[in-house]
Amino acid sequence: MLTKKENIEDVKKIMGIEVEMLKILPKLSEKMDSFNPWVKQIPSIFQELDLKENQTILDIPCGKGGVSVSLAKKYNVKVIGYDIIKEYVESANKLAKKNDVNNLCTFKAGDIRDITKKKNICNLLLWIAPPHIWKTSKNTIKSLRNCIKSNGLILIADAYLYKKNNK
């Protein structure tokens, strides 16, 4: 299910769900390419950015690859995606192959906190429906910025809803 057993409690806390849900999450809607509501909107958002074929997009967490594959297909850009759930990565790789962009897309299982330690690996970082793992927005931006090449961009699209004070 997850890349490391010690990550189960961490992912449970980040996503706010129980371990039992983590076991079935990869199997939910297997016929869907993505759970992400941004899949259809993302490619048009980048229309004005003039993405180039030699640019690299880092998608963390990539989920089932719906956003990444759409961008690779539309803009012919290289996409690297990481997710901690192996089944999502497998689905992302299948989707890339199905859309004939597997030469542009690389999806791997991994902890995104390790990935963000790498420097200057992308022109654009997608942080869509992100887990909240760095506790503050300042720490999050600092960690994400590490991966971005000079003049690169970060797109943050948070799709989670949180309850405060049981409201």
Side-chain angles (χ1 to χ4, degrees), residues 32-49:
M32 292 176 64
D33 292 333
S34 175
F35 292 121
N36 199 315
W38 294 97
V39 170
K40 293 194 183 339
Q41 288 80 14
I42 293 296
S44 62
I45 290 171
F46 295 108
Q47 202 165 6
E48 300 298 318
L49 293 182

Side-chain angles (χ1 to χ4, degrees), residues 13-123:
K13 188 168 127 185
I14 290 165
M15 296 179 78
I17 59 178
E18 295 301 320
V19 174
E20 292 78 21
M21 184 65 172
L22 285 174
K23 292 176 186 174
I24 64 167
L25 194 58
K27 297 183 185 322
L28 289 176
S29 303
E30 285 181 341
K31 294 187 190 262
M32 292 176 64
D33 292 333
S34 175
F35 292 121
N36 199 315
W38 294 97
V39 170
K40 293 194 183 339
Q41 288 80 14
I42 293 296
S44 62
I45 290 171
F46 295 108
Q47 202 165 6
E48 300 298 318
L49 293 182
D50 194 30
L51 293 173
K52 306 280 188 226
E53 288 185 27
N54 61 344
Q55 291 181 322
T56 300
I57 296 173
L58 178 62
D59 187 2
I60 54 174
C62 65
K64 293 184 171 194
V67 172
S68 295
V69 169
S70 295
L71 288 171
K73 192 171 184 173
K74 184 165 183 166
Y75 297 105
N76 203 32
V77 292
K78 181 180 176 185
V79 180
I80 304 167
Y82 290 90
D83 203 289
I84 200 162
I85 300 176
K86 288 181 189 178
E87 291 87 351
Y88 283 6
V89 172
E90 290 166 6
S91 291
N93 282 312
K94 287 178 188 174
L95 183 63
K97 188 172 184 172
K98 177 182 171 184
N99 283 274
D100 201 28
V101 290
N102 52 320
N103 61 320
L104 295 171
C105 297
T106 303
F107 298 106
K108 297 180 181 179
D111 188 325
I112 58 180
R113 292 170 290 194
D114 294 334
I115 306 313
T116 58
K117 292 176 184 172
K118 297 178 182 181
K119 295 203 178 277
N120 304 319
I121 59 173
C122 66
N123 305 94

